[in-house]
Amino acid sequence: MAFQPKTLEPVRKQPWDWLTKNEYEEVTVREQSYLHGQYRFKYGKTDYDIYDPRFTRIRVKDWDAFRDPKRYWYETYTLSRKKMAEDVEGVFDRAQKLGIYSRVSDSWKEFACDFYTPLRHYEYAGAVQLQYVVRYAMGCPIEQSATYTAFDKQGRAQWLSTWALEVVGDEGLPVLERGRELWVHDRAYNGLRRYMEHVLVTEDWAEALVALHLTLGPLIDRILYQEMNEMALAHHDTVIPELALVCAEQVQWQEQWTESLFKMVAEDPTLSRWEYLKALGYENWPGDYRWGKTLSDPRLTPEEEKTNREIVESWVQHWLPRAAEAVKSLQALMDRHGIPFSLEQSVDRNLQENIYPKLQRMGILTQEPA
């Protein structure tokens, strides 16, 4: 008699104690239907279910076990961001009434427009790819965090656009057009734009999160919303630092929930894809004939040879050096405007003080990328 491995109780059949759950969990957990949703996945290259575990290489026996550290759900998130939006509107309003922009040197305005305005395209590209994550991610808790982060990124892109329109007054539209031209054609932005283009065509939704939030984000966001503040203040620009304080708070949450997610991924003991699929309820997978064709059988999917830790580490090894080079390439812009800021020193410092220690805490980095 062939050995029959002990199967896990399907996640959706495990008991749920509503008395011990909080408001966030009541409206978040077990909202996604893993199997045979009312809509078929019709437009991809694969015959997968609408929410199918095979859209990523990593395996987690219970995706609903993830919890956002901030416990954001619709009401709490919107209340928080309403307050932030009011703060930012107040920053712009005070700047106009106090004439802050008239006190800022023309040289700083020229640099700031060439630096901050094109990076609204970086933020917007991240928002677009996060919508891809929302569509294919497993489990509503992950989808929810990705959705709100996409909103944050799009909001920051809008704030950077508003700042550009405010700082140049009646000539606002040309500065936005110039920002786009710099993003598309300027050599200083080639590396970062190319990086984001590669992110936008990344099919594994978990790998896309690695590329956005574990590698590039901690490098460019700290420069954009923290390290340049001192330089702005030295040029009597108080608007950028105040705006950056709000954006940095959003980025901090973005990094927190991503770290929490990949720590869970790294610690998950699931090795067999078939055991993992059974835990999600695929043990008696019947196929789907409602649309005139049968979906591919998940039991026929080849086993993943690597552990979650090895998979995520391979992604980090692939994306992190590229992210570092993309950010360092912006040095040409700094030098062009005479800004005494070393992007190489910033990147190296953030790698050593922030990114490497964080990845090691998460258990997904055994050696530094070459």
Side-chain angles (χ1 to χ4, degrees), residues 135-354:
R135 167 58 188 85
Y136 294 105
M138 295 295 291
C140 187
I142 301 172
E143 288 183 2
Q144 191 164 246
S145 294
T147 298
Y148 298 154
T149 305
F151 293 162
D152 283 352
K153 287 178 180 289
Q154 188 163 350
R156 294 198 293 271
Q158 292 172 341
W159 286 340
L160 291 174
S161 302
T162 301
W163 170 84
L165 294 171
E166 292 275 338
V167 74
V168 299
D170 294 336
E171 300 178 358
L173 187 57
V175 78
L176 296 183
E177 293 176 347
R178 174 173 170 75
R180 179 184 178 279
E181 288 298 309
L182 289 171
W183 176 256
V184 174
H185 299 295
D186 195 287
R187 293 183 62 184
Y189 285 100
N190 280 351
L192 185 58
R193 191 196 69 251
R194 187 180 302 113
Y195 184 98
M196 295 306 297
E197 289 171 348
H198 289 166
V199 171
L200 286 169
V201 295
T202 299
E203 293 188 351
D204 190 307
W205 61 265
E207 182 180 2
L209 283 177
V210 170
L212 286 172
H213 296 168
L214 290 187
T215 54
L216 179 63
L219 293 175
I220 188 66
D221 291 343
R222 274 170 173 71
I223 296 168
L224 186 57
Y225 300 123
Q226 293 184 31
E227 296 180 0
M228 291 302 297
N229 290 348
E230 185 176 350
M231 193 72 62
L233 290 171
H235 288 83
H236 310 290
D237 182 354
T238 60
V239 180
I240 285 290
E242 285 197 75
L243 173 61
L245 285 176
V246 178
C247 296
E249 185 177 345
Q250 294 181 348
V251 169
Q252 183 182 37
W253 168 67
Q254 166 187 304
E255 294 183 2
Q256 286 174 344
W257 76 257
T258 307
E259 180 177 355
S260 178
L261 171 62
F262 282 100
K263 187 174 186 297
M264 181 188 79
V265 167
E267 294 174 350
D268 191 277
T270 309
L271 295 176
S272 165
R273 178 176 289 274
W274 180 223
E275 286 297 302
Y276 155 57
L277 290 169
K278 282 190 287 188
L280 294 180
Y282 279 86
E283 183 170 9
N284 298 311
W285 189 83
D288 190 335
Y289 299 89
R290 291 173 295 171
W291 293 86
K293 64 178 181 179
T294 306
L295 297 178
S296 60
D297 191 332
R299 292 170 292 187
L300 302 180
T301 305
E303 282 285 352
E304 173 60 61
E305 297 180 355
K306 295 183 177 180
T307 65
N308 284 350
R309 293 175 187 266
E310 292 170 333
I311 293 170
V312 178
E313 183 174 10
S314 70
W315 289 338
V316 171
Q317 297 285 351
H318 171 79
W319 288 102
L320 190 53
R322 290 164 174 77
E325 287 304 313
V327 175
K328 289 179 182 179
S329 67
L330 293 172
Q331 187 65 50
L333 182 71
M334 302 285 181
D335 297 341
R336 187 186 311 158
H337 287 275
I339 300 298
F341 185 88
S342 172
L343 285 165
E344 183 171 0
Q345 291 180 7
S346 172
V347 167
D348 292 342
R349 181 173 60 253
N350 281 325
L351 287 172
Q352 297 299 327
E353 297 179 0
N354 177 39

Side-chain angles (χ1 to χ4, degrees), residues 6-179:
K6 181 180 178 181
T7 63
L8 297 169
E9 180 70 14
V11 172
R12 290 306 171 109
K13 293 183 180 179
Q14 294 173 10
W16 182 262
D17 183 6
W18 291 102
L19 295 178
T20 65
K21 304 305 174 186
N22 55 45
E23 192 172 33
Y24 159 78
E25 292 173 322
E26 287 185 7
V27 298
T28 303
V29 178
R30 298 189 178 183
E31 293 296 321
Q32 185 188 80
S33 56
Y34 291 137
L35 296 176
H36 313 312
Q38 65 268 37
Y39 301 105
R40 273 283 289 112
F41 179 70
K42 299 171 58 178
Y43 303 105
K45 295 179 292 185
T46 55
D47 292 330
Y48 287 178
D49 230 336
I50 184 170
Y51 293 115
D52 198 294
R54 292 168 291 176
F55 285 122
T56 181
R57 291 170 61 193
I58 59 177
R59 298 144 302 191
V60 174
K61 67 179 181 179
D62 184 4
W63 290 103
D64 275 339
F66 170 71
R67 296 291 183 272
D68 167 21
K70 289 284 190 180
R71 297 293 199 266
Y72 279 142
W73 58 286
Y74 182 77
E75 180 178 1
T76 54
Y77 171 80
T78 54
L79 288 175
S80 169
R81 290 338 188 230
K82 179 177 182 291
K83 176 63 167 59
M84 288 183 177
E86 291 172 347
D87 290 344
V88 171
E89 289 172 5
V91 170
F92 291 141
D93 185 54
R94 289 192 297 273
Q96 288 288 357
K97 292 179 178 178
L98 296 174
I100 298 296
Y101 299 122
S102 64
R103 296 179 172 84
V104 180
S105 66
D106 290 338
S107 61
W108 174 255
K109 286 182 182 180
E110 291 176 3
F111 162 73
C113 287
D114 285 359
F115 178 68
Y116 290 96
T117 311
L119 289 176
R120 69 198 182 104
H121 297 286
Y122 148 73
E123 290 284 23
Y124 183 73
V128 170
Q129 186 61 356
L130 277 173
Q131 293 299 330
Y132 177 89
V133 174
V134 172
R135 167 58 188 85
Y136 294 105
M138 295 295 291
C140 187
I142 301 172
E143 288 183 2
Q144 191 164 246
S145 294
T147 298
Y148 298 154
T149 305
F151 293 162
D152 283 352
K153 287 178 180 289
Q154 188 163 350
R156 294 198 293 271
Q158 292 172 341
W159 286 340
L160 291 174
S161 302
T162 301
W163 170 84
L165 294 171
E166 292 275 338
V167 74
V168 299
D170 294 336
E171 300 178 358
L173 187 57
V175 78
L176 296 183
E177 293 176 347
R178 174 173 170 75

